[in-house]
Amino acid sequence: MAEENTGASGNGNGEAAAGAAKPASSGGAPYVLSSQYVRDFSFENPNAPAVYGMLKQQPGIEVNVDVNARAFKDNYYEVILKVSVSAKAEEKPAFIIELEYAGLCQLSEGLEEAAVQHILLVEVPQQLFPFARAILSKATQDGGFPPLLLSPIDFRGMLVRQAAAKKAEAEGQSQA
């Protein structure tokens, strides 16, 4: 089974789900998102219960987002949206969340590489994000904190910045 990684990172192997939806015939949708799932999830509250006494103001929050895709047979791809959140209250960790929310999609035959990249790193993550956002919001609330409401993410901008960084790196290596 051939495997192709797209995005910043990704590895492993697997197969497409049996009985998953097939993409529309020519002239139809360029892809079908056949399933979505939590791939990995962790919520840590390392300073409980003391942290609740430290929350006199909004904790400092750092959010990191990454998108990876990997290929399987029959034009199936797994797209993984990784979101890491860390919150600090008075310079101590309030909570740490790591979520990998994924979707399995099948692309139509004959798509150009640029279209494949756009679907896997922009369109599919845009569909996955609201579900990941809801999981993060509920987890923070269940952890005893106000619900975390992430702002929408510009996945197209992320792809453009990543391509520019790769181009600059390649140009720097060719000049060396």
Side-chain angles (χ1 to χ4, degrees):
M1 168 171 33
E3 181 178 293
E4 170 188 320
N5 289 321
T6 305
S9 63
N11 58 23
N13 57 22
E15 293 188 21
K22 296 286 183 195
S25 60
S26 63
Y31 71 97
V32 172
L33 185 59
S34 58
S35 61
Q36 297 181 49
Y37 45 93
V38 173
R39 197 164 194 277
D40 190 21
F41 179 73
S42 171
F43 180 91
E44 298 175 40
N45 192 347
N47 288 307
V51 70
Y52 301 110
M54 294 187 265
L55 289 174
K56 295 174 182 37
Q57 61 184 16
Q58 178 76 17
I61 300 197
E62 181 179 321
V63 179
N64 292 305
V65 177
D66 192 19
V67 178
N68 297 301
R70 59 187 185 145
F72 297 100
K73 65 181 181 176
D74 299 328
N75 286 332
Y76 275 95
Y77 290 81
E78 180 184 47
V79 177
I80 305 165
L81 178 61
K82 293 182 179 184
V83 183
S84 300
V85 180
S86 61
K88 289 188 177 184
E90 296 181 13
E91 300 304 314
K92 292 188 178 183
F95 62 82
I96 301 163
I97 305 174
E98 294 179 353
L99 172 64
E100 288 185 9
Y101 192 76
L104 186 65
C105 67
Q106 186 178 29
L107 302 184
S108 296
E109 296 283 337
L111 293 175
E112 294 180 12
E113 182 61 29
V116 170
Q117 292 283 324
H118 182 77
I119 290 168
L120 297 178
L121 301 177
V122 177
E123 291 189 31
V124 173
Q126 284 176 337
Q127 288 186 329
L128 298 176
F129 179 74
F131 298 96
R133 181 180 190 245
I135 291 167
L136 295 168
S137 176
K138 180 78 169 116
T140 54
Q141 189 172 16
D142 289 348
F145 300 95
L148 176 66
L149 301 175
L150 294 180
S151 298
I153 295 173
D154 179 10
F155 291 102
R156 184 180 180 285
M158 284 176 59
L159 179 61
V160 168
R161 286 188 299 276
Q162 181 184 22
K166 283 183 180 179
K167 182 179 177 182
E169 182 180 313
E171 288 174 357
Q173 288 179 354
S174 66
Q175 292 177 354

